Amino acid sequence: MKNILVILFCSLSTGIFAQIGVYTESPSQLLHIDAAKNNNNSSPSTSQMSDDVVFTSDGKLGLGVIDPKAKLHINGSLRVNDGTQADGKLLMSSNDVGLATWGSVKINKIANWKLSGSVNVPASGMIQFTGTSAMVDNEIDGLSAGTNSLRIPRGKYIIIVNGDLAPASEYGIFTVKTSVDTPFSFYYSEWLGGATFLLDLTNAKYANPETITIYFTPVSTAVGATNYYYTKPPYTNTFWYTFSIIMI
């Protein structure tokens, strides 16, 4: 009889303590805490379970959810304050052990600037392109269209240039100038398509923002074995040049 009682007591104990509920009479997991005591049945609504905490028999922890699908399943916001958090940072793994820390991710922003108008091209000498200066689109803070110029903040940029003097078959030197130097100068003929250069404005010698202006120096010369001559200045033509700007 004693052995029968012991077996019966053990069976009852196993049934009673298989799931533990705190503030709930219907625990859904090994440990179920209904912090607000607002679950009135075994199938609480989303709002009712928002204050629940569960720990499952296979080691999952659920916060705001009673059927967690991962080792840690949170239905709600997550706040991590380790002293390195800041606006614009992302939570990422710092090394191969998966330690999460706040870090910065470089995102390439782009912009497109266009200068267009008409120009009197002399027989010789460098001329500045002046006309309508406008941003076609812009994701770069501090970058803007100036009068006949581009105002660009300190930083590093990849610039892709396209443009043309029309309808002339021009041949000459396309030049980009800052307030202190010439970061890019390039011979081209007929039209300027896809010329690319690095613009590094990180040096303190540059203004912030720096003013970028563009120029053209005509060259009259024979080109190739056929002695084909490009249109010789002087002439008056319309022009357009675009800068596709990638912040790196």
Side-chain angles (χ1 to χ4, degrees):
M1 182 67 177
K2 185 184 293 184
N3 291 337
I4 294 174
L5 289 174
V6 170
I7 293 171
L8 177 62
F9 178 77
C10 290
S11 299
L12 290 172
S13 297
T14 302
I16 294 171
F17 296 106
Q19 292 179 319
I20 300 173
V22 179
Y23 298 134
T24 177
E25 296 180 358
S26 302
S28 61
Q29 300 293 351
L30 182 65
L31 172 64
H32 186 168
I33 302 172
D34 178 18
K37 304 187 229 182
N38 59 356
N39 294 1
N40 52 20
N41 54 53
S42 59
S43 300
S45 66
T46 300
S47 62
Q48 288 173 333
M49 73 173 71
S50 64
D51 58 83
D52 291 14
V53 178
V54 299
F55 188 81
T56 69
S57 58
D58 57 350
K60 294 185 178 73
L61 175 63
L63 305 178
V65 59
I66 61 174
D67 186 21
K69 305 300 184 185
K71 282 295 183 181
L72 175 61
H73 186 162
I74 301 174
N75 182 22
S77 59
L78 173 67
R79 182 167 182 169
V80 179
N81 294 77
D82 66 353
T84 65
Q85 69 277 359
D87 185 39
K89 287 191 174 182
L90 298 177
L91 194 63
M92 61 185 65
S93 176
S94 61
N95 50 43
D96 59 0
V97 300
L99 178 63
T101 59
W102 292 105
S104 299
V105 176
K106 186 70 173 181
I107 300 176
N108 296 121
K109 297 183 178 181
I110 63 172
N112 286 284
W113 172 64
K114 184 176 182 179
L115 183 65
S116 60
S118 61
V119 62
N120 297 317
V121 180
S124 63
M126 179 182 288
I127 58 167
Q128 181 182 353
F129 285 114
T130 61
T132 301
S133 171
M135 300 305 306
V136 179
D137 50 64
N138 186 10
E139 298 176 350
I140 303 173
D141 295 335
L143 186 144
S144 62
T147 303
N148 306 312
S149 63
L150 175 67
R151 293 191 296 265
I152 187 166
R154 284 206 182 101
K156 288 185 179 181
Y157 306 88
I158 293 175
I159 310 291
I160 304 171
V161 186
N162 291 277
D164 192 24
L165 267 166
S169 298
E170 75 273 20
Y171 174 55
I173 308 170
F174 182 86
T175 302
V176 176
K177 288 183 175 290
T178 69
S179 62
V180 293
D181 58 14
T182 301
F184 180 68
S185 188
F186 181 74
Y187 278 89
Y188 83 95
S189 60
E190 295 284 356
W191 57 275
L192 179 58
T196 305
F197 67 97
L198 174 66
L199 182 63
D200 186 351
L201 299 177
T202 58
N203 194 294
K205 69 179 180 179
Y206 296 110
N208 188 23
E210 182 60 73
T211 299
I212 305 298
T213 49
I214 59 177
Y215 298 81
F216 181 72
T217 304
V219 177
S220 298
T221 186
V223 177
T226 59
N227 290 326
Y228 174 76
Y229 283 83
Y230 289 94
T231 306
K232 292 184 179 181
Y235 49 74
T236 299
N237 287 104
T238 60
F239 72 87
W240 64 269
Y241 290 92
T242 61
F243 279 32
S244 297
I245 306 150
I246 306 170
M247 188 177 185
I248 59 175

